[in-house]
Amino acid sequence: MIPFLDLKSVNQLYRDELITAATRIIDSGWYILGQEVEGFEKEFAEYCGVEHCLGVANGLDALILILRAYKEMGIMEDGDEVIVPANTYIASILAISENGLKPVLVEPDPVTYNLDPTLIEKHITDKTKAILMVHLYGQVTAMDEINSLVQKYGLKIIEDCAQAHGAQYKGQKAGSLGDAAGFSFYPGKNLGALGDAGAVTTSDPELVSVIKALRNYGSHEKYKNLYKGVNSRLDEMQAAFLRVKLRHLDKEILARRQIADIYRSSISNPEVILPEVADENAHVWHLFVVRHRQRDKLARYLNENGVQTVIHYPLAPHKQDAYKELSCLDLPVSEMLHNEVLSLPISPVMSKEDALKVVELVNGFKS
C-alpha cells in the first residue's frame, strides 16, 4: 500500500535530533513556558517575517484566541460578523462561533479553492469586522484584491495558516500577510509536532500582550488575572520538537513540490481536474487535491490497487449537524467541491516510483 502520509518515516529522518531534544527537556526540569517555547517563538517569527509568535495548545485555539483578544481590545463584540470561506475545515468556523461572533460563509474560487475575492464585498455589512482567510491545501489566497477591501472598510485580516507553513504571496510568507495568523502543528501538517500544538503570529504588540495573558488563565503575572482566560500553552517538549523540524521545513517543501510536479506533468486522464497554481515557487503542497465527478468510485479504485487517499473534506460545514442554522444557505460551488475533491498521497518521503505508480493508476481509471 502506498500510504497517504507515512508520518513514522517522516519523523524517522530526524530521530536522533528529536531524541536529543527530548532528553534535553527531560533533564532540564522545566516543562511549561520555558526556554524551548521562547526559542521556537523567536525562530518561527523570524521564519514567517513577523515581530511576534506565541505558542498555544493547537491550531483551533490559535484562531479562537485571536478573535477573543480582539473582543477584549474592544475591536469586536458579540454578534459581529467574520467573513470566512464556505469550503474550509470546520475549525475555522468553530473559532468564530466560539467567540459569539457570526460566521458569514462566502464561496471559494472554483479554480484555486481559496476565498473568491470578487464575492466578498456584497457580504460586507456594518457588523463585518474581519475576513478570516484560509490558505487551503498550501496555496495562499490572492491578497491584493482583499487588501483593497480591507482598506476601504477598515477590516481585520486573520489568516488560517494550518495548511500553509512556508507558503508565500509575492515573496511574503503566510502568517505575515494580515493582522494576525493562526497555525496548527498537528502531526500531519507540513511543520508537524509529535502531538497537538499551535501558534499565533502577528506584528501587533497589543494583540500579543492580550493573547499572552489569555493563553495563561488570563494572567500576565502569577495569581493576578486580568481576563477570564484559558489554559492553552505550547509545552516545552513539543516546542523542542518543532525547533528540530523547522530547520528541515524548506527542504521538505522542495520534496513535496517534486512529487506535485510529477503529478501535474504526468496525470493526463481527461476526467481528472488537476490543481491550478498561481506561483510555482510559492505553493507548499500540504495536500495535492484533484477533482473527479465520480470521486468516491476513483477513491475505491485507488484503494483496491494499493493507494491510500483522503477526502478533504467530504461534507461542507453548512451541511454539518453542528451548524444546522446554516443549512439553508445556497453554496453550490462549495457543495460541488466537497463532492468532487480527492487528496492523493504526497509527503517529503514519498518516492518518485510511488508517485509514478499513482499516476499510472489515475490515468488508467475509467468512470
Side-chain angles (χ1 to χ4, degrees), residues 332-366:
V333 175
S334 292
E335 291 176 27
M336 174 193 70
L337 295 179
H338 286 278
N339 288 331
E340 294 184 358
V341 294
L342 184 68
S343 299
L344 301 181
I346 189 167
S347 82
V349 296
M350 187 176 185
S351 69
K352 178 180 178 180
E353 291 73 23
D354 280 350
L356 289 172
K357 179 62 176 177
V358 174
V359 169
E360 179 186 357
L361 289 168
V362 172
N363 285 341
F365 176 72
K366 299 293 187 292

Side-chain angles (χ1 to χ4, degrees), residues 51-342:
E51 294 296 322
H52 306 282
C53 168
L54 292 173
V56 297
N58 54 68
L60 174 57
D61 280 5
L63 295 174
I64 289 174
L65 288 170
I66 291 168
L67 292 168
R68 170 71 186 282
Y70 281 137
K71 291 182 71 177
E72 295 289 355
M73 294 161 65
I75 294 171
M76 299 181 187
E77 61 183 24
D78 285 354
D80 281 342
E81 297 172 354
V82 178
I83 289 171
V84 63
N87 63 318
T88 185
Y89 182 54
I90 198 170
S92 311
I93 300 169
L94 288 171
I96 299 169
S97 56
E98 177 68 16
N99 278 288
L101 304 169
K102 180 182 177 181
V104 177
L105 276 58
V106 175
E107 290 270 58
D109 182 324
V111 175
T112 67
Y113 312 136
N114 281 329
L115 188 62
D116 188 338
T118 67
L119 301 179
I120 295 174
E121 189 164 18
K122 69 179 182 180
H123 293 277
I124 295 175
T125 72
D126 291 342
K127 299 290 284 182
T128 306
K129 292 299 190 297
I131 301 172
L132 199 166
M133 304 185 310
V134 183
H135 305 314
L136 205 61
Y137 308 149
Q139 180 164 231
V140 172
T141 306
M143 290 297 302
D144 288 346
E145 301 93 328
I146 292 174
N147 282 332
S148 65
L149 290 174
V150 166
Q151 293 169 8
K152 181 178 179 180
Y153 293 99
L155 307 177
K156 293 291 185 184
I157 292 182
I158 302 166
E159 300 174 78
D160 182 339
C161 297
Q163 300 185 5
H165 313 75
Q168 298 184 39
Y169 183 80
K170 297 185 176 180
Q172 192 172 345
K173 289 267 181 64
S176 69
L177 297 164
D179 296 283
F183 283 86
S184 168
F185 304 120
Y186 180 79
K189 303 300 184 182
N190 285 21
L191 178 60
L194 274 68
D196 266 326
V200 173
T201 59
T202 183
S203 291
D204 182 343
E206 183 181 1
L207 187 68
V208 168
S209 178
V210 177
I211 293 177
K212 188 174 286 189
L214 286 173
R215 72 173 179 181
N216 189 37
Y217 300 100
S219 174
H220 287 112
E221 182 181 346
K222 195 168 186 178
Y223 302 130
K224 293 185 178 180
N225 303 81
L226 185 60
Y227 309 107
K228 297 174 183 176
V230 297
N231 177 3
S232 181
R233 303 174 299 205
L234 176 63
D235 72 70
E236 287 285 280
M237 189 70 76
Q238 296 303 334
F241 292 154
L242 287 167
R243 295 181 78 183
V244 169
K245 298 187 73 176
L246 179 59
R247 295 195 290 268
H248 302 283
L249 177 57
D250 287 342
K251 176 183 66 179
E252 291 197 0
I253 289 171
L254 289 175
R256 287 175 174 274
R257 285 178 181 155
Q258 291 171 358
I259 300 299
D261 287 345
I262 292 172
Y263 285 158
R264 293 179 63 229
S265 64
S266 304
I267 293 176
S268 56
N269 189 325
E271 297 180 344
V272 174
I273 299 173
L274 294 170
E276 296 284 342
V277 180
D279 184 344
E280 302 281 348
N281 298 312
H283 201 312
V284 296
W285 297 107
H286 173 61
L287 299 172
F288 190 94
V289 179
V290 300
R291 285 168 49 205
H292 195 287
R293 290 186 177 180
Q294 298 292 323
R295 182 269 313 283
D296 294 340
K297 186 176 178 181
L298 173 58
R300 286 194 299 271
Y301 161 80
L302 290 172
N303 185 70
E304 289 166 359
N305 286 277
V307 175
Q308 184 182 42
T309 61
V310 177
I311 299 171
H312 295 89
Y313 304 97
L315 191 62
H318 70 288
K319 296 299 183 182
Q320 299 279 1
D321 286 346
Y323 286 102
K324 290 178 181 177
E325 70 272 20
L326 302 177
S327 62
C328 61
L329 293 177
D330 182 26
L331 298 166
V333 175
S334 292
E335 291 176 27
M336 174 193 70
L337 295 179
H338 286 278
N339 288 331
E340 294 184 358
V341 294
L342 184 68

